[in-house]
Amino acid sequence: MRVSVPTIITGFGAPKRTISPAAAVERIADFLAPGNVTLLTGAGVSVASGIRAYRGKDGRYMNPNYQPIFYHELTDQSEKGFAFRHRYWLRSYLGYPPVRDAVPNTSHYAIAALQYASYLPRLVTQNVDGLHHKAIAHLWDPDHIQKQIVELHGTLHRVHCKRGHVVPRDTFQDWLSASNPQWKAFVDNLEKTGANYARILMVELEGVSYANFVVPECPQCTLEGQQGSFYKSKVIFFGESIPSRIKDRSLHDVEQSERVFVLGTTLATYSAFRLVKRALELRKPVMLLNVGPTRADELPGVEKLEISSSLVLRDVVRAILGSRASQDSTIVHLLQSGVHQPPAEDQEIVSRNT
């Protein structure tokens, strides 16, 4: 099977046009103020939470040696598939804690404020980190969150076996720890010393044998007498199809909106690019906010602003809501919340498929 990793072709098209934060705030506020906007977010939104984006400002992968595990490799029933799964789960075991412990940044909370104020009734995210959920979990119950937020590429916070038994990722992390005490001690030491997880993943694992890492089988399948079951993260891997209900829901959210706001994404994956194309087919206004080239840069009907969301989104909320932004205690709290902790420039990438 041949599956390619999406890329962005750089160096073509119109030159990059910069915009001042003040001008960007005014333009974005004008775009969002009518309401009934569907928001599409990508990796750029989570960078200020310490989760590095796949691609840099030139559209290329931050890690030139990036080698994702494809779906057909992960689910292969042969010894080769067994090896791929062990490689995946050892790296995932080490890479999950920083993602688990990440907290929403100022952009997540600004978005939550606009959700709470009903300007963004629909959010489709490509991110699997769950930070949009964390930002608004104190205001909405889980069922309401599921109705308002679509995780286009799944979530890292749940795993499932091939027969569909779902387990919280934190629980599975505990199972991995219990099955691999030597690696549990290694992780405990990383957390104690504050070591750079990303560099550990990219450097210190070279030459490590994955074969001795124990990956628990599904206990429910064992009880049912089923053998050979294995777990995977509830994320969409390269080469894996998005469930039809998620695909249909994301298209429906675009179709039901008056306009589409795209934030922090290169739109390299077709699952996201498709949504922008559909909005344009329906002649809906589309605004794209991203630093660096995107797949939609040359599309007629897309207004692109080259600026980071962390520089403008809180002021956008204030511009739209006016006095409510300072009088509504919930909005005030949201606009005062959020970290700004982007990864250091010299850090290596931590895979978002951990």
Side-chain angles (χ1 to χ4, degrees), residues 223-255:
L223 287 174
E224 295 171 0
Q226 302 288 346
Q227 301 298 317
S229 185
F230 55 82
Y231 282 105
K232 69 175 285 289
S233 294
K234 208 169 180 61
V235 300
I236 303 299
F237 285 74
F238 286 109
E240 182 178 4
S241 297
I242 293 176
S244 58
R245 62 180 180 82
I246 297 297
K247 175 183 174 182
D248 294 345
R249 163 107 180 262
S250 63
L251 286 168
H252 177 266
D253 282 358
V254 167
E255 292 163 357

Side-chain angles (χ1 to χ4, degrees), residues 7 19 87 97 164 171 212 219 238 250 270 272 288 326 343:
T7 58
I19 186 171
R87 173 192 169 221
T171 299
N212 295 328
F238 286 109
S250 63
Y270 190 74
L288 168 59
S326 60

